[in-house]
Amino acid sequence: MAHEDSELLPGETPVRFLDQDGRALDETRYPMPPLSELQAAYRALVVARRINEQCSALVRQGRLAVYPSSHGQEACEVAAALPLAERDWLFPTYRDAVAVIGRGVPPAEAMVLLQGDWHSGYDPREHGVAPQATPLATQLLHAAGFAHAAKLRGEDTVVVAMCGDGATSEGDFHEALNLAAVFGLAVVFLVQNNGFAISVPLSRQTAAASLAHKAIGYGMPGVRVDGNDAAALLAVMHAAVDRARAGGGPTLVEAHTYRIQAHTNADDDTRYRDRAEVQEWVARDPLIRLRSYLRVCDALSAAAEDEITAEAEAVAAELRDALQAEHVPDPEDLFRHVYAERTPRLEEQWAMLADELARDAESEHAESEHAEHEEAR
Amino acid sequence: MAHEDSELLPGETPVRFLDQDGRALDETRYPMPPLSELQAAYRALVVARRINEQCSALVRQGRLAVYPSSHGQEACEVAAALPLAERDWLFPTYRDAVAVIGRGVPPAEAMVLLQGDWHSGYDPREHGVAPQATPLATQLLHAAGFAHAAKLRGEDTVVVAMCGDGATSEGDFHEALNLAAVFGLAVVFLVQNNGFAISVPLSRQTAAASLAHKAIGYGMPGVRVDGNDAAALLAVMHAAVDRARAGGGPTLVEAHTYRIQAHTNADDDTRYRDRAEVQEWVARDPLIRLRSYLRVCDALSAAAEDEITAEAEAVAAELRDALQAEHVPDPEDLFRHVYAERTPRLEEQWAMLADELARDAESEHAESEHAEHEEAR
Amino acid sequence: MTLTHEAPATTAATVESLTLAGAVNHALADALAADPSVVVFGEDVGVLGGVFRVTDGLAARFGEARVFDTPLAESGIVGAAVGMAMNGMRPVVELQFDAFAYPAFEQVVSHVAKMGNRTRGALRMSMVIRIPYGGGIGGVEHHCDSSEAYYAHTPGLTVIAPSTPQDAYSMLRAAIESPDPVVFLEHKKLYWAKGPVDSVRRVGLGRAVVAREGTDATLVAYGASVLTALEAAEVAAAEGRSLQVVDIRSLAPLDDATIEAAVRSTGRAVVIAEAPGSVSVAAELAARIGERCFEYLEAPVRRVTGFDVPFAPPKLERYYLPDVDRILDAVDSLNWDDR
Amino acid sequence: MTLTHEAPATTAATVESLTLAGAVNHALADALAADPSVVVFGEDVGVLGGVFRVTDGLAARFGEARVFDTPLAESGIVGAAVGMAMNGMRPVVELQFDAFAYPAFEQVVSHVAKMGNRTRGALRMSMVIRIPYGGGIGGVEHHCDSSEAYYAHTPGLTVIAPSTPQDAYSMLRAAIESPDPVVFLEHKKLYWAKGPVDSVRRVGLGRAVVAREGTDATLVAYGASVLTALEAAEVAAAEGRSLQVVDIRSLAPLDDATIEAAVRSTGRAVVIAEAPGSVSVAAELAARIGERCFEYLEAPVRRVTGFDVPFAPPKLERYYLPDVDRILDAVDSLNWDDR
Ligand SMILES: Cc1ncc(C[n+]2csc(CCOP(=O)(O)OP(=O)(O)O)c2C)c(N)n1
Ligand SMILES: Cc1ncc(C[n+]2csc(CCOP(=O)(O)OP(=O)(O)O)c2C)c(N)n1
Ligand SMILES: [Mg+2]
Ligand SMILES: [Mg+2]
């Protein structure tokens, strides 16, 4: 085996700083992030969890059509966003709403898609966040192209591109990692390996020892990391981001984690996994792990905890309020953005719809006048 | 680095038995194939080379529209076909006509595509050879599916699927290798790395140390082999085929070789590569290397050489003759095979064309009668 | 809602009331039972039974070798099915949603559609690609495309879009038995609509059906739009106008004879489909009716289709989708003054 | 063959006689020179200059950073272009042949076409996808598809298919400057046909042009079929029939006004295209003409298109492709007795 091979292959065990009880382990491959960053991460984790819970509740109340929760995966979500500078970009999936919010997108804007108002609700340029991608692995190519443009202009932008374990089987995953490696692009590919693609277990996605083992086939380093250990994730992501920023090219990071909820509210996960397995992972909760550590380090006072909880509650309340108001989108939106300028055909079609709406409004008006009239009798 | 990793990664150097002068090297990773097989391989190599030369000549004479020659890569072509049993299948590309012929397909049938008569000219079932694939890497999935069907029926069919270095960048390459590995299918993926995809050099396809390094990412072994050393290729292919037949799953074999001719006759390779580089590879000719070795081993008499040359000439002559005869395909063929049974629409369309042809024939007939008449005057 | 074109003909024993999803499930089960070369695979079709539960129970009943989940790779699924069909199997694959069939497009167009032709019939692609499609279910982007035009334009493919559980059952059985590749489009909005299914009844591919008789104008539709057309015909009847409804069922090949006879009998036609209208199956129907019924037409053939925009987000889809009023508006525009 | 719609208007200095390939090359060069955000990439477009030499010399002139080869991955090429467009570049990508664009289909349909709509215009996909397409060059399978229907059906895309070097030049410049994504189809058979190119002349997207005046019937065509139509008109003229030829140039959006006016002026129309006719751009044209010119039509709109079969092998393509005789047959069928 060549010397360089060992540099690109993942270690035999995932990077891990904290054990399940939040005790620091003997991890030497990366430096432990400073306490201040872990405190920031903890705050973000609590907010993320609260958002996940709030959104699941909003689904039950019929305010969101669907919500693919990252409950249990919040450490990955936080570690995807935190290491990025303002000028950097994040390329998230449908599951990464809380990472999107972590980049500064207002929670209500992040919910526009799932609320059914429009296909995306925030300005990507304002926050450096691509629209959440639904077609799996497609966004990894956008990330590579984005980084390529930056490189051509001599900018040191770094891009974090996210996907799940299932998405690694798609052709676009392959093409994206390869492009990024061939052109030495500043992309960090973060795979959240939560063990399932809807109902399909990891064993149906790969026969490899790990997903990080794919990296060497592209000539980039592959790293495995405990996806429920925020400290380890931050350390690994910082290293990968720094490497990318310095022109060192892409890295593939595989985070081992678990989705605690079903795939979405529409899914019934009892059909394909044991409750015992879920419970095991509940016990590995990334929040509790980091909280324990911070407490042991005396870096999380009760006051701070209260303050964080309050902040999370405020975010949740804001989200709740925003989604309580029934917002009805404008039907003309259907025609506004298909092209920069509306084609004559689309003008015709909108005119037809507008005419229908006008007639509907008229007859509604007539009906209600009629009803009033009847009442008055 | 894990123990299993070293089993799946390719060795630091490609497998090689013979040096450029045909001297045996100290290769211990595989057993040297028996002389009898090398003799058969040599015979096949000479025939393959002769076909390549003949086809290039037929292009110059306008008998073939195009010919993507495997000149210089014949050892790979031979080693793809030879290790297969009759019940096995080969999934070749546009460049692999001589491998197709190596499976027993009559040379003239293998040329139907390039002659422009039809999209494929042989019966795949009769020879266990899929139609030569043009869309890159797509056939690798067919190979996996084919092997999957065999596995489901409990058959021990082995499939060899071929592609080039450029094709490894396609999403279908990824999806095929992954499928084959996940389901443990009996597929040997043989990549002929000839350094170029038309004009694009290998460095634009991968940043990895080798293409064989991709195998570990799928959990299958990756092997590198000298693609101009027929002995090494046969040894590696036999091992991979045996492994697949025994249920051991797929292998990725990367053969280092070189395309001596331009991509096709339509290509101008002086635009993208040095003549010196081509000459270097001409010197590594797989025929000469094996011939030298066989001679040294006293396994190739002058009489045998003469006989082989005569056989190759006979094949070339047959091919020449077959392609000299101007064959005009039947226009009705356009409608015969689109569906098992012609749709009413296709009946209508054929009726229209048939009517046109009848009218053309009539007016030609009238014209020629007219001409005869004129002449007679 | 209850879905049927006609009263079932055979004995009660073979007739069940099923949802369209249930009808597809039964068809798969019966095909798996009837023919050992039938295999069913795709994403989540195994233990989960599919995200729409269409394959529910099949893995348990027929075993993991015949009904199984694949890696998440649509080109891979279809490409592997091509190889399986080359090797004597009859694969029935599910692509999870319309838009998630696009990664498989190259395999569909370059191989599924052409392999039989390429090999002069030596390697026929006897396979079915099942695609849940269409809107009206409040799905987010990429979950509601009506993508039939892409397939119906591609020579070599048979494209079926049933509107009743009976047709879903019978035509899926026929599709699986067909020597040719079939793209089988299941409208998601119809999945939970019930209708009688007679498992003995055979419906061939390539045949349209008159779903409702009528004399004044012909509504030509398929999939969920057939229901909208039937509703429109009901409303029109109340207003004294008799609308005929043709369910084309087979988008490729089109049943020219039935469509032509229907339109000729009324002299007026409205084509209804959810997909964006431009360069669509609706366009083909309008063009053909124009070509074949020109002398009989009292008015131009009207199209009531999705707008030429990406499918609407959930809260706007009711504006996007063809509805009864829009159909009746189109009918109203068919030069009635001439009468 | 020489290709032009009209005599160039501006000074000789800006006018050159170029092949269509040369015109595209010039347009790329001028765009690269004019706008630093333009980048050109694809397979073999760098040092080789493309398999059709369309990008010849560009890498040498503008450097490897702006004109470069990619790994062999079409979805990758288009997907990366999406990301580049998100980051302020104007990528112009080449997909080597029609059928080799199919692997990129998901990126084209789900992102290129929809990203601008998805983000309410925040991320417009200002990019061009160049695709050499069409037959008539003796190409083997997968090298001769006319795949325009797939793109023209997809809302959000602009689809251009020029038939003259001038239009190729001017419309490619316009395509590169467009805020919207453009699929730019270059007919391979036209690559070596010459015509005058005035690099100052601007031709907007979305506009058809009357390529030949005529009064008896209108031939509607695009790409290489425009030449066949013009030839047919020439032959017909000799026989005393005056055929108008409309080159639609823009397949999406269609220039309804020009097409409508043309067909209304003659009352008869034949639509000509190489692609299989079913569910095609030709179908759309026939349907629209039927819808918009119904009262003016003396005869059904006829289509002369490729058959509904996979593209023919080289020795059979002359039977497959629309030719002058087939067009004239269609013209002959347009109810002339009525006059
Ligand atoms: C191209 C494509 N195919 C299928 C789907 C349907 N789908 C949505 S999520 C999903 C599973 C994804 O699993 P994974 O990548 O592991 O991410 P996770 O949901 O676990 O976060 C599937 C199959 C899709 N969105 N895109
Ligand atoms: C999907 C697809 N894209 C592009 C092409 C056009 N093309 C034909 S051969 C070729 C280069 C292939 O290179 P490689 O895989 O290394 O094989 P080689 O020709 O060297 O044997 C290209 C780009 C194609 N046939 N299929
Ligand atoms: Mg997952
Ligand atoms: Mg090569």
Side-chain angles (χ1 to χ4, degrees):
Chain A
M1 195 179 309
H3 171 60
E4 319 82 63
D5 287 354
S6 53
E7 284 172 16
L8 301 184
L9 285 171
E12 283 195 48
T13 56
V15 178
R16 179 180 295 141
F17 281 118
L18 308 177
D19 75 5
Q20 286 191 218
D21 304 316
R23 273 184 303 259
L25 298 168
D26 186 29
E27 175 63 69
T28 54
R29 290 170 285 185
Y30 294 81
M32 171 70 106
L35 265 181
S36 60
E37 184 167 23
L38 296 181
Q39 288 168 322
Y42 180 68
R43 178 181 297 267
L45 275 175
V46 173
V47 173
R49 171 65 51 82
R50 188 65 191 85
I51 293 172
N52 275 331
E53 284 167 351
Q54 182 60 65
C55 290
S56 293
L58 285 164
V59 167
R60 287 189 297 272
Q61 295 157 26
R63 291 279 149 194
L64 288 178
V66 65
Y67 185 70
S69 177
S70 60
H71 188 124
Q73 303 179 210
E74 289 95 343
C76 303
E77 298 287 307
V78 165
L82 265 193
L84 290 179
E86 221 178 290
R87 66 185 179 288
D88 295 335
W89 270 60
L90 182 76
F91 285 74
T93 77
Y94 51 91
R95 195 172 302 290
D96 303 318
V98 299
V100 169
I101 294 167
R103 285 285 291 165
V105 171
E109 287 184 16
M111 289 306 134
V112 164
L113 166 72
L114 304 174
Q115 198 183 352
D117 280 35
W118 198 249
H119 313 296
S120 179
Y122 50 88
D123 182 346
R125 285 188 203 286
E126 196 183 329
H127 307 286
V129 185
Q132 289 178 263
T134 298
L136 295 164
T138 56
Q139 75 281 6
L140 308 180
L141 281 166
H142 308 166
F146 195 97
H148 202 156
K151 180 168 181 159
L152 291 178
R153 287 197 301 259
E155 296 161 0
D156 72 346
T157 318
V158 174
V159 167
V160 166
M162 306 174 76
C163 77
D165 48 314
T168 66
S169 298
E170 291 279 8
D172 274 5
F173 173 88
H174 177 68
E175 299 191 10
L177 270 75
N178 197 42
L179 266 167
V182 163
F183 291 115
L185 304 176
V187 188
V188 180
F189 296 97
L190 173 59
V191 177
Q192 292 185 59
N193 176 357
N194 62 10
F196 286 91
I198 309 186
S199 71
V200 182
L202 184 68
S203 58
R204 263 298 142 90
Q205 302 301 343
T206 189
S210 84
L211 295 170
H213 275 76
K214 296 186 185 295
I216 192 171
Y218 305 105
M220 70 172 79
V223 184
R224 294 201 293 160
V225 53
D226 183 327
N228 286 19
D229 177 348
L233 277 159
L234 283 169
V236 166
M237 288 299 290
H238 267 300
V241 166
D242 291 349
R243 186 169 178 276
R245 179 125 32 228
T251 301
L252 172 61
V253 177
E254 178 191 7
H256 296 263
T257 184
Y258 199 82
R259 145 167 80 65
I260 299 295
Q261 306 290 330
H263 175 67
T264 67
N265 49 297
D267 179 37
D268 173 9
D269 67 333
T270 62
R271 285 184 168 237
Y272 55 82
R273 57 184 193 179
D274 279 349
R275 290 311 90 187
E277 186 183 283
V278 179
Q279 282 319 311
E280 258 171 53
W281 280 93
V282 167
R284 292 180 202 149
D285 192 313
L287 268 78
I288 297 176
R289 212 190 286 188
L290 185 57
R291 187 177 62 194
S292 307
Y293 178 71
L294 289 177
R295 282 182 183 164
V296 168
C297 296
D298 263 336
L300 186 68
S301 66
E305 285 203 58
D306 287 349
E307 196 234 310
I308 292 172
T309 309
E311 184 188 331
E313 281 310 321
V315 171
E318 193 194 316
L319 194 52
R320 232 169 20 235
D321 291 348
L323 295 185
Q324 275 333 321
E326 182 62 70
H327 178 250
V328 185
D330 179 359
E332 192 175 353
D333 281 359
L334 287 174
F335 304 92
R336 282 203 171 98
H337 311 290
V338 186
Y339 299 93
E341 211 178 297
R342 243 178 267 184
T343 63
R345 185 82 169 171
L346 292 188
E347 286 296 357
E348 278 179 27
Q349 295 183 346
W350 164 236
M352 185 188 94
L353 175 56
D355 177 61
E356 285 176 15
L357 296 174
R359 284 186 286 148
D360 284 357
E362 242 172 69
S363 65
E364 254 170 52
H365 183 69
E367 260 171 48
S368 71
E369 287 218 328
H370 181 72
E372 268 169 44
H373 185 72
E374 295 282 298
E375 245 165 60
R377 281 209 311 193
Chain B
M1 195 180 310
H3 171 61
E4 318 84 62
D5 288 352
S6 54
E7 282 172 17
L8 301 184
L9 285 170
E12 283 195 51
T13 57
V15 178
R16 178 181 294 141
F17 282 117
L18 307 177
D19 74 5
Q20 286 192 219
D21 304 316
R23 273 183 303 258
L25 298 168
D26 186 30
E27 177 61 70
T28 53
R29 290 169 284 184
Y30 294 81
M32 172 69 109
L35 265 181
S36 61
E37 184 168 23
L38 295 180
Q39 289 168 321
Y42 180 68
R43 176 182 297 268
L45 274 176
V46 173
V47 172
R49 171 66 50 83
R50 189 66 191 84
I51 293 173
N52 275 331
E53 284 168 350
Q54 182 59 67
C55 289
S56 294
L58 285 163
V59 168
R60 288 188 296 272
Q61 295 157 27
R63 290 281 149 194
L64 288 179
V66 65
Y67 185 70
S69 177
S70 61
H71 187 123
Q73 305 179 210
E74 290 94 343
C76 302
E77 297 288 307
V78 165
L82 265 193
L84 290 178
E86 221 178 291
R87 67 184 179 287
D88 296 334
W89 270 60
L90 182 75
F91 284 75
T93 77
Y94 52 90
R95 196 172 300 292
D96 304 317
V98 299
V100 169
I101 294 167
R103 284 285 291 167
V105 171
E109 288 184 16
M111 289 306 133
V112 164
L113 165 71
L114 304 173
Q115 199 182 353
D117 281 35
W118 198 250
H119 313 296
S120 179
Y122 49 89
D123 183 346
R125 286 188 202 285
E126 195 181 330
H127 307 286
V129 185
Q132 289 178 261
T134 299
L136 296 164
T138 55
Q139 74 282 6
L140 307 180
L141 280 166
H142 309 166
F146 195 97
H148 202 158
K151 180 168 180 158
L152 290 178
R153 286 197 300 261
E155 296 161 2
D156 71 347
T157 316
V158 174
V159 168
V160 167
M162 305 174 77
C163 76
D165 48 312
T168 65
S169 299
E170 292 277 8
D172 274 5
F173 173 88
H174 177 70
E175 299 191 11
L177 269 76
N178 196 43
L179 266 167
V182 163
F183 291 115
L185 305 176
V187 187
V188 180
F189 296 97
L190 172 60
V191 176
Q192 292 185 59
N193 176 357
N194 61 9
F196 287 91
I198 310 186
S199 70
V200 182
L202 183 67
S203 58
R204 263 298 141 89
Q205 302 301 343
T206 190
S210 84
L211 295 170
H213 276 76
K214 295 187 184 296
I216 193 170
Y218 306 105
M220 70 172 78
V223 184
R224 294 199 295 160
V225 54
D226 184 327
N228 287 17
D229 177 348
L233 277 159
L234 283 169
V236 166
M237 289 298 291
H238 268 299
V241 167
D242 290 350
R243 185 169 178 275
R245 182 131 25 233
T251 302
L252 172 61
V253 177
E254 177 191 8
H256 296 264
T257 184
Y258 198 82
R259 146 168 81 65
I260 298 296
Q261 306 289 331
H263 175 69
T264 67
N265 48 297
D267 179 36
D268 173 7
D269 67 333
T270 62
R271 286 185 167 236
Y272 56 80
R273 57 184 192 179
D274 280 347
R275 291 311 90 187
E277 185 183 282
V278 179
Q279 282 319 311
E280 258 171 52
W281 281 92
V282 167
R284 294 180 201 147
D285 192 310
L287 268 77
I288 297 175
R289 211 189 287 189
L290 185 57
R291 187 178 62 195
S292 305
Y293 177 73
L294 289 176
R295 281 181 183 164
V296 168
C297 297
D298 263 339
L300 186 67
S301 67
E305 285 204 57
D306 288 348
E307 195 234 312
I308 290 171
T309 308
E311 185 189 329
E313 281 309 323
V315 171
E318 195 193 316
L319 193 51
R320 235 170 16 238
D321 290 349
L323 295 185
Q324 274 335 317
E326 184 61 71
H327 177 252
V328 185
D330 179 359
E332 193 176 354
D333 281 0
L334 288 175
F335 303 93
R336 282 203 170 98
H337 311 291
V338 186
Y339 299 93
E341 213 179 294
R342 240 177 270 185
T343 63
R345 185 83 170 170
L346 292 187
E347 285 295 357
E348 278 180 27
Q349 295 183 344
W350 164 235
M352 185 188 94
L353 174 58
D355 177 59
E356 284 176 14
L357 296 174
R359 284 186 288 148
D360 285 356
E362 243 173 66
S363 65
E364 255 170 53
H365 182 70
E367 259 170 51
S368 73
E369 286 217 329
H370 180 71
E372 269 170 43
H373 184 73
E374 294 284 298
E375 246 166 60
R377 279 211 310 189
Chain C
M1 77 186 141
T2 299
L3 291 177
T4 174
H5 282 325
E6 45 205 293
T10 41
T11 62
T14 63
V15 180
E16 275 182 275
S17 177
L18 292 175
T19 62
L20 195 143
V24 172
N25 181 281
H26 269 52
L28 293 171
D30 292 353
L32 282 159
D35 180 350
S37 70
V38 174
V39 281
V40 170
F41 56 97
E43 295 159 10
D44 302 294
V45 300
V47 55
L48 184 65
V51 294
F52 295 103
R53 303 294 181 270
V54 168
T55 55
D56 197 18
L58 298 180
R61 178 161 162 213
F62 295 99
E64 287 240 341
R66 296 190 63 201
V67 180
F68 56 89
D69 294 326
T70 63
L72 215 169
E74 292 80 11
S75 186
I77 290 168
V78 174
V82 168
M84 283 204 176
M86 290 170 80
N87 199 358
M89 308 298 267
R90 289 181 178 266
V92 183
V93 302
E94 175 178 298
L95 299 177
Q96 205 162 71
F97 283 86
D98 29 72
F100 309 142
Y102 301 148
F105 199 67
E106 180 187 32
Q107 288 288 347
V108 172
V109 173
S110 291
H111 293 304
V112 175
K114 297 194 175 85
M115 187 68 82
N117 186 63
R118 179 177 304 144
T119 60
R120 293 179 179 278
L123 298 177
R124 296 232 74 97
M125 293 289 98
S126 188
M127 57 185 279
V128 179
I129 301 177
R130 293 182 40 244
I131 308 179
Y133 82 111
I137 54 154
V140 294
E141 209 192 357
H142 309 289
H143 291 77
C144 298
D145 284 10
S146 284
S147 45
E148 60 270 23
Y150 300 127
Y151 307 111
H153 175 60
T154 305
L157 299 178
T158 299
V159 183
I160 302 295
S163 77
T164 67
Q166 179 69 62
D167 282 352
Y169 178 88
S170 298
M171 296 182 98
L172 182 53
R173 292 298 304 272
I176 295 171
E177 284 164 15
S178 169
D180 296 315
V182 178
V183 173
F184 198 83
L185 298 166
E186 301 165 9
H187 201 291
K188 291 183 287 279
K189 200 184 155 191
L190 301 181
Y191 264 148
W192 312 120
K194 277 200 163 188
V197 174
D198 176 349
S199 58
V200 169
R201 191 143 160 258
R202 285 282 168 269
V203 175
L205 305 177
R207 300 286 299 283
V209 65
V210 175
R212 178 185 172 114
E213 297 292 349
T215 53
D216 293 337
T218 304
L219 306 182
V220 183
Y222 54 91
S225 295
V226 173
L227 271 74
T228 321
L230 288 169
E231 267 183 73
E234 199 65 39
V235 174
E239 295 170 359
R241 198 166 264 165
S242 166
L243 301 184
Q244 182 188 41
V245 178
V246 176
D247 178 355
I248 65 166
R249 303 193 292 198
S250 171
L251 283 51
L254 284 171
D255 180 355
D256 287 316
T258 302
I259 298 166
E260 199 177 297
V263 175
R264 287 183 176 194
S265 77
T266 65
R268 290 179 171 81
V270 175
V271 179
I272 303 137
E274 244 178 82
S278 281
V279 192
S280 67
V281 173
E284 178 62 29
L285 287 164
R288 279 201 203 192
I289 293 170
E291 280 161 356
R292 304 174 89 96
C293 307
F294 184 76
E295 316 292 343
Y296 298 80
L297 287 177
E298 305 286 346
V301 181
R302 293 278 170 224
R303 288 184 271 174
V304 176
T305 66
F307 299 124
D308 289 314
V309 307
F311 194 83
K315 287 194 189 166
L316 291 175
E317 67 175 351
R318 68 197 174 94
Y319 301 107
Y320 173 91
L321 291 167
D323 65 5
V324 168
D325 285 346
R326 208 170 282 166
I327 294 171
L328 293 177
D329 284 352
V331 170
D332 281 342
S333 77
L334 299 176
N335 297 355
W336 297 99
D337 308 338
D338 301 5
R339 292 225 298 200
Chain D
M1 87 185 131
T2 300
L3 289 179
T4 175
H5 281 325
E6 45 205 291
T10 40
T11 62
T14 61
V15 180
E16 275 181 275
S17 177
L18 293 175
T19 62
L20 196 143
V24 172
N25 181 282
H26 269 51
L28 292 171
D30 292 352
L32 282 158
D35 182 349
S37 69
V38 173
V39 282
V40 170
F41 56 96
E43 294 158 11
D44 301 294
V45 300
V47 56
L48 185 64
V51 295
F52 295 103
R53 302 295 181 269
V54 168
T55 55
D56 198 17
L58 299 181
R61 179 164 162 208
F62 295 99
E64 288 239 339
R66 297 189 60 202
V67 180
F68 57 89
D69 293 327
T70 63
L72 217 168
E74 293 79 11
S75 186
I77 291 168
V78 175
V82 168
M84 284 204 176
M86 290 170 81
N87 199 359
M89 307 298 267
R90 288 181 179 268
V92 183
V93 303
E94 175 178 300
L95 299 177
Q96 205 162 74
F97 283 85
D98 29 72
F100 309 143
Y102 302 148
F105 198 66
E106 180 188 32
Q107 287 288 347
V108 172
V109 173
S110 291
H111 293 302
V112 174
K114 297 195 176 88
M115 186 68 80
N117 186 63
R118 177 177 305 142
T119 59
R120 294 180 178 276
L123 298 176
R124 296 232 75 95
M125 294 288 98
S126 188
M127 57 184 278
V128 179
I129 302 177
R130 293 182 40 244
I131 308 179
Y133 81 111
I137 55 156
V140 295
E141 208 194 358
H142 309 291
H143 290 78
C144 298
D145 284 11
S146 284
S147 45
E148 60 270 23
Y150 301 127
Y151 307 111
H153 175 61
T154 305
L157 300 178
T158 299
V159 184
I160 302 296
S163 78
T164 69
Q166 179 69 62
D167 282 351
Y169 179 88
S170 298
M171 296 183 96
L172 183 52
R173 292 298 302 274
I176 295 171
E177 285 163 14
S178 168
D180 298 313
V182 178
V183 174
F184 198 83
L185 298 167
E186 301 165 9
H187 200 291
K188 292 184 286 279
K189 201 183 154 191
L190 300 180
Y191 263 149
W192 312 120
K194 278 199 163 188
V197 174
D198 177 347
S199 58
V200 168
R201 199 151 152 251
R202 287 279 167 271
V203 175
L205 306 176
R207 300 285 301 281
V209 64
V210 175
R212 179 186 172 113
E213 297 293 348
T215 53
D216 292 338
T218 303
L219 306 181
V220 184
Y222 54 91
S225 295
V226 173
L227 271 76
T228 321
L230 288 169
E231 267 183 74
E234 200 63 41
V235 175
E239 294 169 359
R241 198 166 266 164
S242 167
L243 301 184
Q244 183 189 40
V245 178
V246 175
D247 179 356
I248 64 165
R249 302 193 295 196
S250 172
L251 283 52
L254 285 172
D255 180 356
D256 286 316
T258 302
I259 298 166
E260 201 177 297
V263 175
R264 287 183 176 194
S265 76
T266 65
R268 290 179 171 83
V270 175
V271 179
I272 303 137
E274 244 178 84
S278 282
V279 193
S280 68
V281 172
E284 178 61 29
L285 288 163
R288 278 201 202 192
I289 294 170
E291 279 161 357
R292 304 175 89 96
C293 308
F294 184 75
E295 316 293 343
Y296 298 79
L297 287 176
E298 306 286 345
V301 182
R302 292 277 170 225
R303 286 184 274 175
V304 176
T305 67
F307 299 123
D308 290 313
V309 308
F311 194 83
K315 287 193 189 168
L316 291 175
E317 67 175 350
R318 69 197 175 93
Y319 301 107
Y320 172 91
L321 291 168
D323 65 5
V324 169
D325 286 346
R326 208 170 281 165
I327 294 171
L328 294 176
D329 283 353
V331 170
D332 281 342
S333 77
L334 299 176
N335 297 356
W336 297 99
D337 307 340
D338 300 7
R339 292 225 297 202

